[in-house]
Amino acid sequence: MWTDWTSATAGAPGSATGTLNGVGVTYNGEVDSAATTANTTIWAPNSSFIGGTSTDSPSTVRDAIFLNGSSTGTNTITFSSPVVNPLIAIWSPGSPSAGASFTFAQTPTLEAGGPNSQFGDSSLVVAGNLVSGHEGNGVVQLTGTFSSLSWTDTFENFYGFTVGTAGVIPEPSEYLMLLVGLALLGIARRSKS
């Protein structure tokens, strides 16, 4: 599942909004431009974005947020409901002679990677919280349940990303049922005492 970006405002900072399987997604950070009408063809080849827990390419949605890394601020994605195991697909960071990187607040794992159909090269590389590339593509996963995630990035003229999930997005009613169940267990324990 990948975000369907529905609006974006360019700037540093800029913003974007969309939905991810019914969950609202808000992005605040650098926005050079955006593809919000299912019209970008950058997510190719699909094989560079499918692997591990990433079972579908962002080409199924064909949206993206583009940056150039000229802003020194933090980029933040916020979910209207917690999301399990979010994925970040990254397209074309760096150039053949100079890499570009994302430094996440959390430690990601590489799920998929490979060449960029427009510019070649190879997979993204992950080292600790740093994800870097020289025109390559890939998908990283942040393991756990997140209400937001953030990163900083370095300059490189033009590259893009989108966010998805490899896990289940809990429904608000599931949280309510869990809380009611825990409350009933507490009451039952108290009455046995």
Side-chain angles (χ1 to χ4, degrees):
M1 287 181 264
W2 295 99
T3 298
D4 175 13
W5 295 104
T6 54
S7 69
T9 302
S15 62
T17 58
T19 58
L20 175 58
N21 197 34
V23 171
V25 181
T26 303
Y27 167 72
N28 289 294
E30 180 187 7
V31 178
D32 195 48
S33 63
T36 59
T37 57
N39 65 351
T40 186
T41 59
I42 64 166
W43 303 113
N46 284 333
S47 59
S48 292
F49 301 99
I50 297 173
T53 61
S54 180
T55 58
D56 209 358
S57 169
S59 66
T60 58
V61 178
R62 297 179 50 185
D63 285 351
I65 305 298
F66 298 106
L67 346 137
N68 64 25
S70 61
S71 172
T72 57
T74 300
N75 303 298
T76 302
I77 293 173
T78 305
F79 304 106
S80 63
S81 296
V83 171
V84 177
N85 299 333
L87 299 170
I88 306 287
I90 303 172
W91 170 80
S92 189
S95 68
S97 60
S101 61
F102 285 52
T103 302
F104 286 91
Q106 304 84 8
T107 302
T109 57
L110 183 66
E111 296 299 311
N116 179 311
S117 66
Q118 293 90 347
F119 307 109
D121 202 52
S122 58
S123 176
L124 298 176
V125 175
V126 177
N129 290 14
L130 186 72
V131 177
S132 58
H134 289 266
E135 297 287 13
N137 293 329
V139 176
V140 295
Q141 177 179 292
L142 300 163
T143 303
T145 302
F146 294 85
S147 294
S148 68
L149 49 99
S150 59
W151 72 89
T152 58
D153 49 42
T154 59
F155 177 75
E156 187 278 310
N157 198 37
F158 194 68
Y159 50 106
F161 77 93
T162 192
V163 62
T165 184
V168 175
I169 298 174
E171 296 292 329
S173 61
E174 291 175 8
Y175 288 115
L176 181 60
M177 288 189 315
L178 176 63
L179 290 174
V180 168
L182 290 173
L184 290 173
L185 282 172
I187 291 168
R189 281 193 161 190
R190 223 183 294 175
S191 23
K192 283 186 178 182
S193 302

